[in-house]
């Protein structure tokens, strides 16, 4: 069952034909199955972040459709889109984007506070503790981001992305600021979480070593997705 699809999507920046025109996607198709892990790779500037923003409904295609869980996203209101994002999508970025004045636990709980329908916070806090323990951070609940290592911060960002039990995790160069050992650990951790909970993972990386750790690897090339693994 597909969870997320791009159907005949085209996306460019700038006036077509002008000097600053950039074509990112041309009639591109992409199907992400529920629960699968996919890497999208390609050199810097080829349009990986743009693709992730389209998948995350943060940006709109020029032509074509984005389909999330069988529903065409086009034309959704801002309220509908933000509801979809907070309930069904977890985002992870290159830089953790943790709030420095909030503890690890508080940072992890933030997306739950953004939900339109207030969850049972006792349940969410229990989940937060269990997830932090799964990523080896059970001793860090009351620490602040500034007291953590780079790898630990990204693990907090992974838990924050999982807290609302999303259907998809979208990760944009999540290991970009880490050394190789920490990068490998983090990528494997995201893959494990995706498998454990049946959440799809779409990871965008210019680093072929990180991309190769995933079962399925696509390359963005001349406006289309090519299968490389
Ligand atoms: P990647 O993530 O692969 O590095 P991006 O998606 O960030 O690539 O960018 C792809 C290309 O589109 C780059 O040439 C970039 O300069 C251009 N670009 C990205 N965002 C915009 C924008 N909002 N307006 C104009 N050009 C943009
Ligand atoms: P259990 O200890 O009951 O076997 P799991 O190991 O399956 O639980 O899950 C560990 C924690 O992850 C639990 O707190 C659970 O609430 C949480 N969890 C379960 N499913 C998901 C999901 N899809 N996304 C994020 N967290 C989840």
């Amino acid at each position: 069952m597909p969870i997320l699809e791009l159907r005949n999507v085209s996306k460019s920046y700038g006036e077509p034909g002008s000097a600053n025109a950039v074509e990112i996607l041309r009639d591109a198709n992409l199907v992400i199955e529920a629960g699968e892990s996919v890497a999208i790779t390609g050199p810097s500037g080829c349009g990986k972040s743009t693709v992730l923003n389209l998948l995350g409904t943060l940006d709109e295609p020029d032509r074509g459709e984005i389909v999330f869980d069988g529903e065409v996203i086009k034309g959704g209101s801002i309220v509908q889109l933000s509801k979809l994002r907070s309930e069904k999508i977890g985002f992870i970025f290159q830089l953790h984007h943790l709030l420095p004045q909030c503890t690890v636990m508080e940072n992890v709980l933030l997306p739950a506070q953004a939900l339109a329908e207030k969850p049972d916070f006792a349940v969410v806090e229990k989940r937060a503790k269990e997830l932090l323990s799964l990523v080896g951070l059970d001793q860090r609940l009351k620490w602040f981001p500034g007291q953590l290592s780079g790898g630990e911060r990204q693990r907090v960002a992974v838990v924050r992305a999982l807290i609302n039990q999303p259907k998809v995790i979208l990760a944009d160069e999540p290991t970009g600021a880490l050394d190789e050992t920490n990068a490998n650990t983090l990528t494997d951790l995201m893959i494990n979480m995706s498998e454990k909970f049946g959440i799809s993972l779409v990871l965008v990386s210019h680093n072929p070593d990180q991309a190769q750790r995933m079962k399925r690897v696509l390359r963005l090339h001349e406006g289309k997705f090519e299968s490389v693994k």
Side-chain angles (χ1 to χ4, degrees):
M1 265 272 289
I3 183 72
L4 191 47
E5 291 173 75
L6 298 183
R7 290 189 190 154
N8 303 106
V9 165
S10 298
K11 176 77 184 175
S12 303
Y13 294 114
E15 277 300 302
S18 73
N20 62 353
V22 197
E23 184 177 57
I24 309 284
L25 293 176
R26 187 196 310 164
D27 239 345
N29 288 288
L30 174 65
V31 178
I32 312 285
E33 296 292 334
E36 79 165 336
S37 299
V38 183
I40 298 173
T41 187
S44 211
C46 75
K48 301 182 298 299
S49 295
T50 303
V51 167
L52 217 61
N53 289 342
L54 289 168
L55 290 172
T57 75
L58 297 165
D59 200 353
E60 281 187 69
D62 301 331
R63 283 186 303 283
E65 289 179 339
I66 299 169
V67 185
F68 197 109
D69 213 0
E71 249 180 87
V72 178
I73 294 308
K74 223 173 178 176
S77 70
I78 289 172
V79 173
Q80 283 167 329
L81 289 182
S82 89
K83 185 165 156 31
L84 168 85
R85 285 196 291 267
S86 55
E87 287 177 0
K88 303 209 170 147
I89 305 177
F91 291 93
I92 305 174
F93 304 98
Q94 173 166 1
L95 297 173
H96 51 82
H97 292 303
L98 301 174
L99 295 183
Q101 72 279 25
C102 293
T103 63
V104 163
M105 185 52 130
E106 287 163 353
N107 269 288
V108 162
L109 295 176
L110 283 175
Q113 274 148 8
L115 288 171
E117 283 161 44
K118 293 295 159 221
D120 179 341
F121 275 98
V123 172
V124 179
E125 260 186 69
K126 181 165 174 282
R127 185 185 308 137
K129 278 191 189 145
E130 285 168 359
L131 288 171
L132 284 165
S133 165
L134 277 178
V135 304
L137 293 176
D138 34 343
Q139 303 301 314
R140 300 280 185 272
L141 307 191
K142 294 190 174 153
W143 291 38
F144 291 90
Q147 300 173 296
L148 305 176
S149 72
E152 286 174 329
R153 284 180 209 151
Q154 285 305 68
R155 280 187 270 150
V156 177
V158 170
V159 172
R160 181 184 53 185
L162 288 167
I163 195 67
N164 289 342
Q165 302 185 295
K167 302 223 166 171
V168 177
I169 299 270
L170 300 177
D172 194 351
E173 302 279 2
T175 62
L178 302 179
D179 64 39
E180 195 187 338
T181 309
N182 277 306
N184 292 345
T185 307
L186 192 84
T187 301
D188 292 350
L189 177 73
M190 289 186 294
I191 295 169
N192 286 342
M193 292 291 156
S194 144
E195 285 173 357
K196 181 173 169 68
F197 298 130
I199 300 172
S200 303
L201 169 66
V202 183
L203 178 143
V204 148
S205 179
H206 70 275
N207 181 332
D209 293 340
Q210 295 311 316
Q212 283 299 325
R213 301 182 91 81
M214 314 273 282
K215 279 203 187 106
R216 184 174 163 215
V217 181
L218 302 171
R219 181 170 74 121
L220 194 53
H221 182 65
E222 293 183 349
K224 299 253 198 299
F225 298 96
E226 288 181 354
S227 178
V228 291
K229 182 183 168 192

